[in-house]
Amino acid sequence: MTATATWLPMSADTALACSTSPDLFFAESPQDVARAKELCAGCPVRAACLADALDRGEPWGVWGGELFLNGVVVPGKRARGRPRKSELAA
C-alpha cells in the first residue's frame, strides 16, 4: 500500500486544530471525540486528511472528521462500561 500525501497551500499563520491539541484527536471519552470531530468540520485539509488516513489504514483516532477504531470508520464512540443490551453474551 502506498501512502499519498495531498498538500494544500497554507499560510504561515494557519494553525490546524490537530496540531494545537493533538491529544484530543486520540481521546478516550465520547465527549472529547465529539469535540475533535467538531474541530475538523471547518478544517481546510479535512478531505485530504481523511483520504490519507484511509490509504494508510489508520488504526484509531479522529482523522478528517471521522472516528477510526481498528482501522474502520465508525459513527461514534461509546463510553466504557457494560455492553449494549442488544448484544448477546458469548
Side-chain angles (χ1 to χ4, degrees):
M1 181 183 306
T2 306
T4 56
T6 306
W7 300 100
L8 297 177
M10 298 181 69
S11 63
D13 61 342
T14 303
L16 300 177
C18 59
S19 65
T20 58
S21 55
D23 291 342
L24 184 63
F25 292 82
F26 298 95
E28 289 293 325
S29 80
Q31 295 83 9
D32 287 343
V33 169
R35 178 69 181 133
K37 288 174 134 184
E38 288 173 10
L39 291 172
C40 286
C43 183
V45 296
R46 180 180 179 189
C49 178
L50 178 59
D52 288 346
L54 289 167
D55 285 346
R56 288 190 308 271
E58 285 293 340
W60 70 291
V62 175
W63 297 90
E66 298 294 337
L67 176 61
F68 285 73
L69 289 176
N70 298 322
V72 178
V73 174
V74 296
K77 185 164 186 162
R78 294 185 58 243
R80 297 181 115 185
R82 294 182 63 172
R84 293 183 184 122
K85 290 183 179 184
S86 63
E87 293 178 348
L88 298 175

